[in-house]
């Protein structure tokens, strides 16, 4: 299972880079324009993904970091957001690479953001949610590019696996 999550961590970084290259074509107004998406704009959506990643990494690691609300915009500037995204993607990869297979079945315990409910669950399903959540919101960013009249890039996992990076990663696991 660890190899599976390593693949998802590397795919996540690749998909975020591909998306950021497409988002670079937006001007400042387009980047922050409310297009009716759940987090309103490209800026809101990309900031949400980053915040949620940080929340989940705190849960996974047990760190006592704090974060703002899930709709906060700590990075209104795209260049700053891209830099933070790259740092977070590297952090995600390091975290997953540091896992042992046995840890994936161990429980993590955390409190939800929306209520003080304490949750305890095995790490593997939570990691699956973590990567699925990113994909879900990148899909929304894909739609935002379309609404803004830009060509959204292909970001499917299968496309990543066909890249030299993806093929090299797969060969390590065989």
């Amino acid at each position: 299972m660890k190899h599976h999550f390593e693949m998802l961590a590397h795919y996540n970084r690749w998909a975020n880079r591909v998306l950021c290259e497409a988002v670079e074509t937006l001007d400042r107004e387009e980047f922050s324009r409310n297009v009716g998406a759940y987090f309103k704009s490209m800026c809101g959506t990309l900031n949400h993904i980053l915040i949620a990643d940080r929340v989940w990494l705190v849960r996974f690691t047990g760190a006592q970091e704090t974060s703002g609300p899930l709709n906060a915009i700590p990075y209104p500037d795209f260049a700053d957001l891209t830099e933070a995204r790259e740092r977070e993607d590297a952090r995600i990869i390091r975290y997953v690479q540091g896992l042992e297979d046995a840890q994936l079945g161990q429980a993590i315990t955390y409190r939800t953001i929306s209520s003080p409910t304490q949750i305890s669950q095995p790490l593997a399903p939570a990691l699956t949610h973590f990567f699925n959540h990113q994909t879900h919101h990148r899909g929304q960013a894909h739609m935002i590019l379309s609404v803004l009249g830009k060509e959204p890039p292909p970001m499917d996992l299968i496309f990543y696996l066909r890249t030299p990076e993806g093929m090299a990663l797969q060969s390590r696991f065989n």
Side-chain angles (χ1 to χ4, degrees):
M1 283 296 297
K2 179 183 171 182
H3 293 314
H4 177 72
F5 291 116
E6 283 185 72
M7 175 194 63
L8 292 175
H10 284 274
Y11 160 67
N12 175 66
R13 178 180 61 191
W14 173 85
N16 285 331
R17 285 178 176 166
V18 168
L19 178 59
C20 283
E21 287 172 9
V23 173
E24 270 183 331
T25 67
L26 302 178
D27 63 31
R28 235 179 163 64
E29 187 278 327
E30 290 170 323
F31 180 64
S32 59
R33 184 186 304 166
N34 183 343
V35 295
Y38 191 81
F39 289 96
K40 298 183 173 46
S41 65
M42 183 64 77
C43 180
T45 300
L46 296 182
N47 272 279
H48 168 73
I49 298 169
L50 182 65
I51 290 168
D53 286 356
R54 288 176 174 173
V55 167
W56 277 104
L57 279 171
V58 165
R59 291 172 178 174
F60 297 151
T61 64
Q64 297 301 313
E65 299 174 32
T66 59
S67 63
L70 293 174
N71 63 349
I73 301 187
Y75 300 99
D77 179 73
F78 178 66
D80 294 340
L81 177 59
T82 300
E83 204 172 284
R85 176 76 267 165
E86 288 174 2
R87 283 192 310 272
E88 201 66 23
D89 288 342
R91 184 174 168 221
I92 291 165
I93 289 170
R94 282 192 309 274
Y95 169 73
V96 172
Q97 287 175 333
L99 290 173
E100 298 294 329
D101 277 317
Q103 290 175 274
L104 295 169
Q106 293 175 350
I108 60 167
T109 301
Y110 60 91
R111 294 203 180 278
T112 62
I113 290 175
S114 58
S115 70
T117 305
Q118 190 169 4
I119 305 291
S120 190
Q121 68 184 106
L123 176 59
L127 270 172
T128 299
H129 165 76
F130 174 71
F131 289 114
N132 188 61
H133 178 264
Q134 295 164 351
T135 300
H136 165 72
H137 286 294
R138 276 193 303 265
Q140 291 176 334
H142 192 272
M143 180 277 309
I144 292 169
L145 286 168
S146 294
V147 167
L148 294 172
K150 306 296 182 182
E151 184 67 31
M155 294 182 290
D156 292 335
L157 173 62
I158 202 69
F159 289 112
Y160 167 70
L161 295 174
R162 294 174 188 158
T163 67
E165 178 187 347
M167 288 187 285
L169 186 68
Q170 290 178 85
S171 69
R172 283 189 15 224
F173 301 146
N174 292 331

